[in-house]
Amino acid sequence: MYQGKRLTRNDRIFNVALGILLTVLCLVVIYPLYYILIASFTDPAVVNSGKFLLYPEKPFLDGYERILEYKPLWRGYTNSFLYMGLTVVCSLVTTIPAAYVLSRRDMVFRDGLMMIFTFTMFFSGGMIPSYLLIKSLHLLNTAWAIVLPSACSAWNLIVARTFFQESIPPELLEAARIDGCDDFTFFFRIVLPLSQTIIAVIGLFFAVSQWNAYFNALMYMTEEKKMPLQVVLRNLILINSTTDMLGDAMGYDSRAKLAEQMKYGVIVIGALPLLLLYPFLQKYFAKGVMIGAIKG
């Protein structure tokens, strides 16, 4: 009925105004990202002039050539993929079963356990106790020092628990028990196949979080060869370690020019893997977030 109804003049004005507003908001969000991409291919002299860039007016690729030749960058890439993969696997193994158990109304002490998990969202042991704990477990300078502290997130646990509460009805378990299905069989053969959406969402949350993390590596890692990509990029941008890769043969102006462009280049290279991954998980991401938001 609504589709056949003609829009009034006020409705058309509202739709036009809304379209203009959303277009402006999209440009505000997208242009900084586009600017970084264009600046990474543009002569730093043009970038520093403050011009409004729509395309590389004066292409300059020396920064990318230096970045791609920098061996610690590729080692950091390898380490980051390793840490991210381990984190996603460990996080899903701990978060999904725990969330399902806490979603069961027949779980003993369910509310008390949920309060404990929620408490960790607001309070932690602190940086020094965390370091002493990792040291006492002999995990310093190992991949597990980065993976295990972030193996479970209270927020992701709550999101997953809400999904199970609203998407897996108790009647389904009762019907499965009538057919002789126990709890473990029900979880692995019925719950998990029905939960691909939330598994993809939680996995994406953990992957993004671990990919962007660098503080744990600074605390727990002592060898440069084990540092993740974000620490390598941090060194390139904040500590001016670009001089190590530019060499002393270049003049000061040339080195400064090259270092300026490399700052944009490392941002693009650091964000590229997740930008390539996100389109494949977008449908699960949007659906899972909406389920938790509406029914949570």
Side-chain angles (χ1 to χ4, degrees):
M1 294 178 63
Y2 180 77
Q3 293 179 352
K5 183 180 178 181
R6 297 186 61 182
L7 296 177
T8 64
R9 181 172 179 272
N10 290 335
D11 290 336
R12 289 195 294 269
I13 294 175
F14 175 79
N15 289 339
V16 172
L18 183 61
I20 294 174
L21 177 62
L22 293 177
T23 301
V24 172
L25 291 177
C26 288
L27 292 176
V28 170
V29 174
I30 294 175
Y31 181 72
L33 304 177
Y34 179 74
Y35 178 86
I36 291 175
L37 178 62
I38 295 301
S40 68
F41 291 98
T42 305
D43 192 315
V46 177
V47 176
N48 294 333
S49 66
K51 297 182 63 175
F52 185 80
L53 297 179
L54 290 177
Y55 59 91
E57 296 184 9
K58 190 176 180 181
F60 186 81
L61 301 179
D62 290 358
Y64 275 108
E65 292 179 2
R66 293 284 182 167
I67 291 173
L68 297 178
E69 293 173 356
Y70 191 48
K71 294 182 179 179
L73 180 71
W74 300 110
R75 189 164 59 236
Y77 251 116
T78 302
N79 293 335
S80 288
F81 276 114
L82 173 63
Y83 301 151
M84 184 177 68
L86 290 175
T87 298
V88 171
V89 172
C90 293
S91 300
L92 291 178
V93 168
T94 57
T95 303
I96 297 301
Y100 169 70
V101 170
L102 292 172
S103 71
R104 293 272 297 268
R105 289 179 171 81
D106 57 346
M107 171 65 184
V108 181
F109 304 122
R110 184 181 74 150
D111 294 337
L113 291 172
M114 202 63 234
M115 289 182 61
I116 294 175
F117 280 109
T118 306
F119 181 84
T120 62
M121 294 177 61
F122 305 99
F123 302 95
S124 65
M127 182 172 62
I128 295 178
S130 298
Y131 177 84
L132 294 177
L133 174 63
I134 296 298
K135 182 179 180 180
S136 65
L137 295 175
H138 305 288
L139 297 177
L140 289 180
N141 205 37
T142 65
W144 299 113
I146 296 178
V147 173
L148 292 182
S150 57
C152 186
S153 167
W155 170 254
N156 292 337
L157 181 67
I158 294 173
V159 172
R161 186 204 62 167
T162 303
F163 176 87
F164 288 128
Q165 284 180 340
E166 302 299 335
S167 302
I168 309 296
E171 293 78 11
L172 187 61
L173 176 60
E174 295 175 2
R177 283 177 172 174
I178 294 176
D179 293 333
C181 183
D182 58 19
D183 288 331
F184 285 98
T185 304
F186 178 75
F187 176 73
F188 286 105
R189 300 190 63 178
I190 299 179
V191 174
L192 289 184
L194 295 175
S195 306
Q196 295 181 3
T197 297
I198 197 62
I199 291 175
V201 171
I202 297 300
L204 181 61
F205 282 166
F206 280 113
V208 173
S209 177
Q210 183 59 57
W211 183 266
N212 293 327
Y214 71 93
F215 189 71
N216 283 352
L218 292 177
M219 284 183 57
Y220 305 134
M221 292 295 185
T222 58
E223 298 182 21
E224 289 293 333
K225 65 180 182 179
K226 295 184 178 181
M227 292 296 181
L229 177 65
Q230 300 303 327
V231 175
V232 177
L233 301 185
R234 172 185 176 274
N235 293 337
L236 289 175
I237 296 176
L238 300 180
I239 309 180
N240 294 325
S241 63
T242 49
T243 56
D244 297 335
M245 45 192 300
L246 299 183
D248 297 331
M250 301 178 62
Y252 176 80
D253 292 341
S254 299
R255 292 169 58 181
K257 181 178 180 180
L258 194 56
E260 183 69 21
Q261 192 200 34
M262 288 172 58
K263 292 180 181 180
Y264 295 104
V266 295
I267 295 175
V268 173
I269 290 177
L272 187 60
L274 292 183
L275 292 177
L276 296 177
L277 175 66
Y278 181 77
F280 298 99
L281 300 177
Q282 182 180 6
K283 60 179 181 179
Y284 298 108
F285 180 80
K287 183 178 178 181
V289 171
M290 288 303 297
I291 289 175
I294 294 175
K295 299 182 179 180

